[in-house]
Amino acid sequence: MSEEKKFRSGFAALLGRPNVGKSSIINALLKEKVAAVSPKPQTTRNAVRCIYTSEDEQIVFVDTPGIHVPQHALGDFMMKEAEESLMLVDAVCYVVEAQDRAVSEKDEIILKVLENVSQPVVLAVNKIDKLADFEDYKKAAAVYEKYIKPAAVVPVSANNRRGLEELAAAISALLPEQPPIYPEDMLMDSTERFLASEVIREKIFRHTNEEVPHGVAVIIDEFKSPDEFPDKKVCDIRATIIVDRPGQKGIIIGKNGAMLKQIGSEARKELEEKFGHKVFLQLWVKVKPGWRKSPEELRRLGYNS
């Protein structure tokens, strides 16, 4: 009789330049939307833990803020979050695109950070569905193998759900043999309040352009759930959207409040699906000039390590 397979569990940091598909990979692996997805860079601001559990492994993915050159206090916070996350994980999953034929400036910054990382790296070559020839993913891998020596190279497609089990297996092989860290039905190590703020912020990212998303924060002023208050049948959420400039406030509110209504409607529907009960969502927009440059304001808004 063969020896019983040992269970492995641990933490894996997700790295990659903006829009490379890190959050899409997480959502596809967990078969549920747990990470914010947006075509805008720096969608992820906090190191968010998403948990993949199978019969043989539990991988706690730390979806880090994008590694970049900071331009303000918020950028400093995000960079510190990413660097500290790398110090606490068992492995790193570095996501690149299958069409890559050269290292971009943003990837150069990531590769420089990886020089100081002792943890093993799995190179995930995403978006293979966009290749005419599947084997061409090896050309992208070769570009990065000049700078790092990955423990494994895995071609994947988050869109088509290809290579996901292989990616999980490659990461799992690098984790310690130990029992699961979290309950097997747990998908995120985050509060419902945090999840609500992330869903609202993602809708803003999706519906606004240029500088508006990066000048936005979301504060949950009130959160009363039926889980905490059994007499309530609806989850009451009051949130304030913080922006840098009056012009941004006008864009988010929209003509006759149409944009704010759309953001609120989409956020409410998604939160109802996630929470499993009705949601009553109220949104306000407030201008706080220069909030991203103020360490004090960032701490008040929850951006503190």
Side-chain angles (χ1 to χ4, degrees), residues 44-257:
T44 302
R45 286 183 180 167
N46 301 76
V48 180
R49 293 184 179 92
C50 303
I51 305 156
Y52 169 80
T53 306
S54 71
E55 291 183 1
D56 302 316
E57 69 252 331
Q58 182 177 88
I59 306 171
V60 183
F61 286 98
V62 184
D63 189 7
T64 59
I67 292 177
H68 61 290
V69 178
Q71 297 180 341
H72 41 61
L74 177 59
D76 288 335
F77 163 79
M78 292 166 64
M79 192 65 175
K80 187 176 180 182
E81 279 273 288
E83 291 176 344
E84 288 184 352
S85 297
L86 290 174
M87 295 170 60
L88 302 172
V89 298
D90 302 291
V92 175
C93 178
Y94 179 26
V95 184
V96 300
E97 288 191 3
Q99 302 94 321
D100 288 350
R101 297 296 177 265
V103 173
S104 68
E105 289 183 12
K106 291 176 180 176
D107 277 302
E108 286 178 358
I109 298 171
I110 296 172
L111 289 167
K112 191 169 183 62
V113 170
L114 286 177
E115 287 178 2
N116 301 315
V117 171
S118 59
Q119 289 86 341
V121 178
V122 171
L123 185 65
V125 184
N126 192 24
K127 304 184 182 181
I128 56 171
D129 50 296
K130 295 186 177 181
L131 293 175
D133 183 352
F134 169 76
E135 292 296 320
D136 280 350
Y137 85 86
K138 295 177 182 177
K139 296 179 181 178
V143 169
Y144 294 94
E145 287 176 312
K146 295 176 183 176
Y147 299 85
I148 59 173
K149 295 181 179 179
V153 177
V154 185
V156 298
S157 168
N159 285 340
N160 293 349
R161 303 186 54 79
R162 290 177 62 189
L164 297 176
E165 290 184 5
E166 291 81 358
L167 178 61
I171 297 170
S172 173
L174 306 174
L175 303 181
E177 293 182 357
Q178 60 181 1
I181 299 166
Y182 294 95
E184 64 178 28
D185 59 346
M186 193 170 177
L187 296 180
M188 285 188 74
D189 181 18
S190 299
T191 65
E192 288 187 335
R193 291 179 71 103
F194 174 77
L195 186 58
S197 68
E198 285 292 279
V199 168
I200 296 166
R201 195 165 63 86
E202 185 203 30
K203 302 312 174 190
I204 297 168
F205 267 55
R206 283 188 171 275
H207 290 291
T208 58
N209 297 310
E210 310 206 0
E211 272 303 298
V212 173
H214 307 300
V216 167
V218 177
I219 302 174
I220 303 299
D221 302 303
E222 184 177 57
F223 188 101
K224 292 184 177 179
S225 167
D227 297 330
E228 299 174 280
F229 301 89
D231 58 320
K232 295 185 69 65
K233 296 182 180 180
V234 176
C235 181
D236 283 328
I237 304 174
R238 291 195 306 110
T240 301
I241 299 167
I242 304 296
V243 295
D244 262 333
R245 301 189 299 273
Q248 295 171 337
K249 178 178 180 179
I251 292 172
I252 290 176
I253 292 175
K255 187 176 181 181
N256 298 322

Side-chain angles (χ1 to χ4, degrees), residues 3 28 30-31 45 103 122 203 232 255 272 281 286 299:
E3 185 180 347
L30 272 61
K31 299 179 181 178
R45 286 183 180 167
V103 173
V122 171
K203 302 312 174 190
K232 295 185 69 65
K255 187 176 181 181
E272 286 180 342
L281 176 62
K286 185 181 294 185
R299 279 194 292 272

